[in-house]
Amino acid sequence: MTYLQPRNPKSRLSGLLVTAGVILILVVGIQFFFPHFFPGFFTSLTQPFWRMEFSISSGSLNSPASLLSQNEELKRQLAAVDVRLQSAQSLEAENAELKAALGRATSTPRILAAVLKRPPLAPYDELIIDIGKDYAVASGTAVYSPERIRIGTITDVLGQTSKVKLLSSPGEKYEVLIGANKEPATAVGRGGGHYEAKVPQESLISEGDVVINPSINEAPFGVVTAKVSDPAEPFTKVLFAPMVNIYKLRWVLVDKQ
């Protein structure tokens, strides 16, 4: 009768250690002589899975028609967001401007009115505002910018609107004082918010000087924008304009009766 001899546990352990040592030596040798072998090997194995994950997350597995449709939808959404943002910014600016103008109106005996039409949409040097007989507006009433600068006069009054003739209308004349020395001169409207006046050549007037119309108020009537001199002439032409752009007026203040 033959009996199987049991293996010696020590010999089995020795074999495992030898095998592990050989594998370790091979790994160290490969890493030493070919340092990029293992990183490249594992990258090659996992790269297909990375590509698959990227395709699923980015939606590139969808058809070209589907991707184009999604792209167009995103563009429409971005355009809608941009329009809402611009609208919100415009409303915010208008709200701030309206609050400032309304504050000035409540601190003076004047009525706040919105400008419905202005040059060049309205006839030259005219404004159309949104108050009329409903606010007891009368012809000849003074009109000011929100900065309290006199800009015109009510000429025609309807039920809910009025027409404002700007002071700068061509041919209109005003006695003014120009510069720090308050040089007297006659200003003539040139249209479009601009005026001209003639002063002696020796007058000490320069660009940026303030122009005052004492018959209206002591507030600045305008500011000098240019001087046109001719040594052969005894007078210098002075050009000036109000310190407000009439083409951008959104609100005005109208004197109460």
Side-chain angles (χ1 to χ4, degrees):
M1 180 176 292
T2 304
Y3 295 93
L4 295 176
Q5 297 293 329
R7 292 187 178 181
N8 189 346
K10 293 184 177 180
S11 62
R12 181 183 297 178
L13 180 59
S14 299
L16 290 174
L17 291 175
V18 171
T19 303
V22 172
I23 293 174
L24 180 61
I25 292 172
L26 288 175
V27 170
V28 173
I30 292 173
Q31 182 66 24
F32 180 78
F33 291 104
F34 307 99
H36 300 292
F37 175 78
F38 287 110
F41 176 72
F42 287 112
T43 299
S44 299
L45 288 177
T46 56
Q47 190 173 19
F49 299 99
W50 295 347
R51 291 181 179 273
M52 180 63 71
E53 181 183 2
F54 175 77
S55 299
I56 294 174
S57 62
S58 63
S60 59
L61 293 178
N62 297 336
S63 65
S66 176
L67 290 175
L68 288 174
S69 177
Q70 293 177 14
N71 187 43
E72 290 299 322
E73 180 61 25
L74 288 174
K75 287 182 179 179
R76 284 193 293 269
Q77 292 178 6
L78 287 174
V81 170
D82 185 58
V83 170
R84 287 197 295 270
L85 178 60
Q86 292 181 7
S87 177
Q89 292 174 341
S90 177
L91 288 174
E92 183 179 358
E94 182 178 356
N95 185 43
E97 182 182 1
L98 179 57
K99 285 182 178 178
L102 187 58
R104 296 185 181 97
T106 54
S107 64
T108 60
R110 292 170 185 160
I111 307 169
L112 179 67
V115 178
L116 300 179
K117 289 187 179 181
R118 66 185 68 79
L121 300 179
Y124 201 58
D125 272 49
E126 287 183 356
L127 303 177
I128 304 297
I129 59 176
D130 70 341
I131 61 174
K133 293 180 180 178
D134 53 343
Y135 280 82
V137 174
S139 296
T141 304
V143 179
Y144 303 81
S145 73
E147 294 79 15
R148 303 181 185 180
I149 298 173
R150 176 75 182 275
I151 59 170
T153 305
I154 298 289
T155 56
D156 296 296
V157 181
L158 299 178
Q160 297 179 337
T161 60
S162 298
K163 181 185 295 185
V164 180
K165 181 180 180 180
L166 298 177
L167 299 182
S168 60
S169 296
E172 295 294 317
K173 296 182 179 181
Y174 310 94
E175 297 303 317
V176 297
L177 302 176
I178 307 175
N181 296 327
K182 292 183 169 51
E183 187 73 35
T186 300
V188 181
R190 302 181 63 193
H194 298 279
Y195 305 84
E196 69 174 55
K198 291 183 178 180
V199 297
Q201 284 279 6
E202 63 273 13
S203 299
L204 300 177
I205 295 175
S206 57
E207 293 184 19
D209 282 349
V210 173
V211 180
I212 296 175
N213 186 335
S215 63
I216 295 178
N217 54 35
E218 290 300 317
F221 187 67
V223 60
V224 176
T225 57
K227 287 179 62 178
V228 181
S229 299
D230 184 353
E233 297 292 333
F235 294 96
T236 295
K237 183 184 295 185
V238 176
L239 306 180
F240 66 94
M243 291 182 288
V244 58
N245 190 338
I246 64 171
Y247 296 103
K248 294 184 178 180
L249 281 175
R250 295 164 57 86
W251 312 95
V252 293
L253 300 175
V254 181
D255 273 346
K256 296 179 181 179
Q257 289 190 9

